[in-house]
Amino acid sequence: MDLYWDNFNPAYDARELSLFKAGKTSDPNVKKYQKLLKEANRLIFIFQVWWNDTPAIIKGFIDKVMKKQFAYNVGATGVIGHLKNIQRVEVMTTSTSPTWYLKMFCGSAIFSSIQP
């Protein structure tokens, strides 16, 4: 998937937002990405770091594609994942900020969000 090549729109329009609660979509790119995700066993994110954060297009991809009822549901004891076919996820990033700066002052956005 190449979000830029596909002209993926990370923002919700009114129609798409009205379908959010039901876990549905009107975006053809989202439908295409969901089909690809159902068939994948590995997911690799490659993106540049903008202002020490994930780009909006990646955040929009996660918000619009990894929908409730598609990627997960909420059960009595917590989140139930549906994409069990994906065995591995890798994240590769680039940045113009020096690595020492990112480690010392920004930390790991991935690990800090999953650790208590």
Side-chain angles (χ1 to χ4, degrees):
M1 298 174 226
D2 184 330
L3 305 181
Y4 293 102
W5 180 262
D6 292 343
N7 291 314
F8 175 70
N9 181 0
Y12 275 91
D13 60 21
R15 171 83 175 121
E16 187 77 9
L17 193 55
S18 72
L19 299 171
F20 178 80
K21 189 173 181 180
K24 300 198 182 299
T25 186
S26 61
D27 186 328
N29 278 330
V30 171
K31 291 176 185 177
K32 177 176 83 171
Y33 299 152
Q34 287 179 338
K35 181 180 182 304
L36 290 169
L37 286 169
K38 284 182 185 177
E39 299 167 356
N41 62 9
R42 189 172 182 189
L43 183 57
I44 303 171
F45 287 92
I46 303 172
F47 58 86
Q48 70 287 356
V49 174
W50 287 103
W51 295 97
N52 302 319
D53 203 353
T54 306
I57 198 165
I58 299 295
K59 291 178 182 179
F61 172 85
I62 293 168
D63 287 346
K64 290 178 77 176
V65 176
M66 303 297 192
K67 293 182 181 287
K68 185 176 179 181
Q69 297 180 26
F70 168 73
Y72 70 95
N73 265 327
V74 179
T77 59
V79 175
I80 302 164
H82 295 311
L83 296 174
K84 297 184 188 311
N85 53 298
I86 298 177
Q87 299 298 307
R88 184 177 175 112
V89 177
E90 296 179 39
V91 179
M92 297 176 212
T93 63
T94 62
S95 174
T96 56
S97 297
T99 301
W100 65 265
Y101 170 80
L102 293 173
K103 285 182 178 179
M104 182 172 259
F105 295 105
C106 301
S108 171
I110 294 169
F111 289 116
S112 65
S113 67
I114 60 174
Q115 294 179 353

